């Protein structure tokens, strides 16, 4: 079988891969927070301040860099003062639209920020612009970050926290073109500018303000934002894009029972992310050629029909090797566009959509998507390198898709790290890596390989997991390794 | 493809009557995977008195209790393992 040359040029640096590209998202939706991440202090499930210990360990292992909260759509209905103070006094709301799900606000601002401290990750708060007020949001920032005497700092102290937290990432409104208020871009810009004016930097805290960006290919939204906002009031704009196998929101397709054709349509639809990023970046370049304003893909991932017999409003879906491929492709795209893409947040962390972790009572499963984040973590804060790889296509009656997705970086320890996935279901990629003059003494390599529908569940939680990848030197100084069909490889060359 | 408004999607789903859908799900389960009638009724009675019940859904696993209680490979997902 033909060999495929992967050429890496360590002398050509193409930007820093922000660790926040490996970010996450936890919304008050379904069982993401309650009966997922958060089980409460009185649970028999081992927990730290109500958060499951096994989840904390799993997230530390992948070096979770940032966590977006409390939504999503929920953010524009969330009133943060409902979620502070003694828990028995917090507002309880029964959402009758949603199978009478109770929101008891037991997981609120203090719980979230303490969790981020425990995880050593950045909090990313999505502020309520849709149904809140300027005062409410400005007071939230004050409650979290004010470092002297003020009404909100005193309230924080009363709730048991003297020292302010650090808050860098602040989103102002979520999907303001849709559930966040159904606004026109121009109207949103005006509101955004008003809200952000009163979100202040207290003490040493510096906010990184994120404006609500476009829905998928709404390029006009980006154009209007870039015409109206600038680097002095905006650090980044967001982008939301989900991968739906069928492109039909009312019949999206099953997470586990899918055909080869659906597999390839999923891959094809996820590859669209590259076009979206490049076209939105093109517009941003017109107004901001210095790239002072970043692009944050703060909702992405696969969206399927919910698992049979589960509440459709909980958005609970299983997660297979196909999801792992989707994750690897998107992360490679983000890495390769790191000059503009400064953060990304997969939706969502636990039990919702393309989750990294599934729980049921005391049981926990790490999904194939989790393993991709674990394998890719060496890219965090590394420097993107120029890499070129020969390519072949997966061809079906409907699709012609490039099989290989890859990115390459150099870490602070001067090692070179390559991630490469092969989405073909029938052709192996025999890779010959050429690192030019780079000298290395050791290689550490992993492979995640399985059939397209293979997955982990509560009865068989280890079916899909990374294994050691064999590599071998060639007589002419290259490195050979195989990436089987439907597989993801991560190879680290250590000096 | 643009994402539709999640809130609208959820509200639409919230208005649907899932009773028929759950019945259809249960009818699709092979007989050898079903519990007997008495076990099914006992399980449902326990669920009805459980603090984790949210409407017709178990808050711990997110399943409609009628669906979960019907399957012989399922158990109560709660900490107390009530069935």
């Amino acid at each position: 079988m033909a060999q495929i040359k992967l050429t890496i040029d360590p002398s050509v640096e193409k930007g820093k891969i922000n660790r926040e590209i490996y970010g996450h998202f936890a919304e008050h939706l379904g069982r993401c927070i309650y009966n997922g991440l958060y089980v409460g202090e009185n649970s028999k499930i081992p927990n730290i301040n109500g958060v499951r210990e096994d989840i904390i360990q799993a997230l530390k292992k992948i070096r979770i860099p940032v966590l977006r909260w409390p939504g999503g759509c929920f953010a524009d209905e969330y009133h943060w003062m409902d979620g502070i103070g003694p828990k028995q006094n917090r507002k309880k709301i029964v959402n009758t639209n949603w199978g009478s799900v109770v929101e008891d606000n037991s997981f609120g601002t203090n719980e979230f920020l303490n969790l981020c401290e425990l995880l050593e990750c950045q909090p990313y708060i999505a502020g309520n612009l849709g149904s809140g007020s300027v005062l409410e949001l400005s007071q939230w920032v004050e409650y979290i970050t004010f470092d002297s005497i003020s009404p909100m700092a005193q309230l924080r102290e009363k709730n048991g926290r003297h020292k302010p937290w650090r808050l860098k990432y602040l989103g102002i409104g979520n999907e303001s073109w849709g559930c966040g208020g159904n606004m026109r871009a121009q109207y949103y810009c005006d509101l955004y500018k008003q809200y952000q004016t009163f979100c202040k930097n207290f003490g040493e805290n510096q906010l990184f303000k994120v404006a609500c960006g476009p829905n998928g290919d709404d390029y006009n939204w980006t154009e209007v934002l870039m015409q109206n906002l600038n680097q002095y009031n905006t650090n980044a704009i967001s982008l939301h894009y989900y991968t739906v196998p069928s492109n039909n929101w009312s019949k999206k397709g099953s997470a586990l029972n899918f055909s080869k054709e659906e597999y390839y349509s999923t891959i094809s639809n996820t590859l669209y992310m590259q076009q979206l990023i490049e076209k939105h970046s093109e517009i941003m370049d017109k107004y901001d050629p210095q790239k002072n304003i970043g692009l944050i893909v703060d909702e992405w991932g696969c969206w399927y029909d919910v698992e049979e017999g589960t509440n459709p409003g909980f958005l609970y879906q299983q997660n297979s090797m196909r999801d792992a491929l989707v994750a690897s492709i998107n992360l490679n795209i983000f890495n390769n566009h790191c000059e503009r893409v400064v953060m990304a947040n997969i939706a969502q962390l636990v039990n919702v959509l393309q989750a990294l972790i599934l729980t049921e009572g005391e049981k926990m499963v790490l999904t194939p998507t989790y393993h991709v984040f674990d394998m890719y973590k060496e890219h965090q804060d590394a420097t993107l390198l120029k890499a070129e790889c020969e390519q072949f296509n997966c061809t079906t009656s409907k699709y012609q898709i490039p099989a290989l997705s890859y990115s390459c970086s150099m870490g602070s320890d001067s090692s070179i790290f390559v991630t490469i996935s092969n989405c073909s279901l029938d052709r192996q990629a025999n890779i010959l890596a050429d690192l030019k003059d780079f000298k290395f003494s050791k290689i550490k390599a992993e492979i995640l390989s399985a059939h397209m529908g293979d997955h982990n569940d509560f009865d068989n939680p280890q079916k899909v997991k990374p294994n050691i990848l064999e590599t071998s030197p060639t007589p002419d100084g290259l490195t050979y390794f195989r990436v089987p069909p439907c597989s993801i490889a991560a190879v680290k060359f250590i000096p | 493809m643009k994402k539709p408004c999640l809130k609208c999607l959820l509200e639409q789903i919230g208005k649907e009557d899932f009773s028929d859908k759950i019945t259809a799900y249960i009818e699709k389960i092979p007989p050898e995977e079903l519990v007997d009638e008495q076990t099914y009724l006992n399980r449902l009675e326990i669920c009805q008195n459980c603090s984790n019940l949210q409407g017709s859904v178990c808050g711990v696993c997110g399943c409609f209790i009628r669906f979960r209680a019907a399957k012989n490979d399922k158990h109560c997902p709660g900490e107390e393992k009530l069935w």
Side-chain angles (χ1 to χ4, degrees), chain A residues 43 77 98-99 175 308-309, chain B residues 3 7 10 28 54 64 79:
Chain A
S43 172
E77 295 193 355
W98 287 109
E175 297 191 356
E308 279 193 353
Chain B
K3 178 189 173 189
K7 197 167 164 242
L10 296 183
K28 276 200 307 191
Q54 300 178 344
F64 286 99
E79 293 177 15

Side-chain angles (χ1 to χ4, degrees), chain A residues 5 22 70 162 177 212 300 417 427 449:
Chain A
K5 186 98 175 272
Y22 292 81
H162 170 69
W177 34 259
C212 168
W300 68 272
F417 184 58
R427 184 171 159 187
S449 187

Side-chain angles (χ1 to χ4, degrees), chain B:
Chain B
M1 190 181 60
K2 287 191 181 66
K3 178 189 173 189
C5 172
L6 177 61
K7 197 167 164 242
C8 301
L9 269 181
L10 296 183
E11 280 178 1
Q12 185 56 41
I13 295 169
K15 284 178 194 155
E16 289 179 36
D17 180 2
F18 285 97
S19 186
D20 289 347
K21 274 193 182 166
I22 300 306
T23 303
Y25 285 151
I26 295 169
E27 283 171 357
K28 276 200 307 191
I29 300 170
E32 64 273 18
E33 293 177 18
L34 289 170
V35 294
D36 61 73
E37 184 71 12
Q38 193 54 52
T39 305
Y40 180 61
L41 294 173
N42 289 345
R43 286 178 171 188
L44 287 183
E45 191 180 344
I46 293 167
C47 291
Q48 293 292 351
N49 294 308
C50 178
S51 59
N52 288 314
L53 187 65
Q54 300 178 344
S56 52
V57 172
C58 169
V60 179
C61 63
C63 295
F64 286 99
I65 55 169
R66 279 179 55 211
F67 178 78
R68 190 173 180 100
K71 296 194 75 176
N72 63 15
D73 63 342
K74 295 291 183 190
H75 56 78
C76 163
E79 293 177 15
E80 303 298 337
K81 298 284 173 286
L82 298 172
W83 50 262

Side-chain angles (χ1 to χ4, degrees), chain A residues 10 414-416 435-442 493-495:
Chain A
S414 299
S415 59
I416 285 183
L435 278 66
K436 303 230 169 184
D437 298 328
F438 183 78
K439 303 277 180 259
F440 56 91
S441 61
K442 215 164 53 172
F493 298 89
I494 303 164

Side-chain angles (χ1 to χ4, degrees), chain A residues 331-393:
Chain A
L331 292 171
N332 285 331
I333 291 171
F334 301 148
N335 287 345
N336 289 327
H337 295 81
C338 66
E339 281 198 331
R340 187 62 86 174
V341 178
V342 296
M343 188 199 293
N345 310 73
I346 189 169
Q348 296 191 7
L349 192 64
V350 184
N351 292 332
V352 171
L353 299 177
Q354 192 176 342
L356 274 79
I357 295 169
L358 304 176
T359 68
E360 188 179 281
E362 73 285 1
K363 294 180 183 173
M364 183 191 81
V365 162
L366 302 175
T367 66
T369 299
Y370 173 89
H371 292 307
V372 174
F373 275 79
D374 193 27
M375 290 168 70
Y376 272 56
K377 66 189 175 193
E378 295 292 334
H379 281 308
Q380 292 188 19
D381 280 344
T383 301
L384 181 71
L385 297 180
K386 182 183 176 191
E388 283 172 2
C389 189
E390 292 169 353
Q391 187 62 268
F392 64 92
N393 284 330

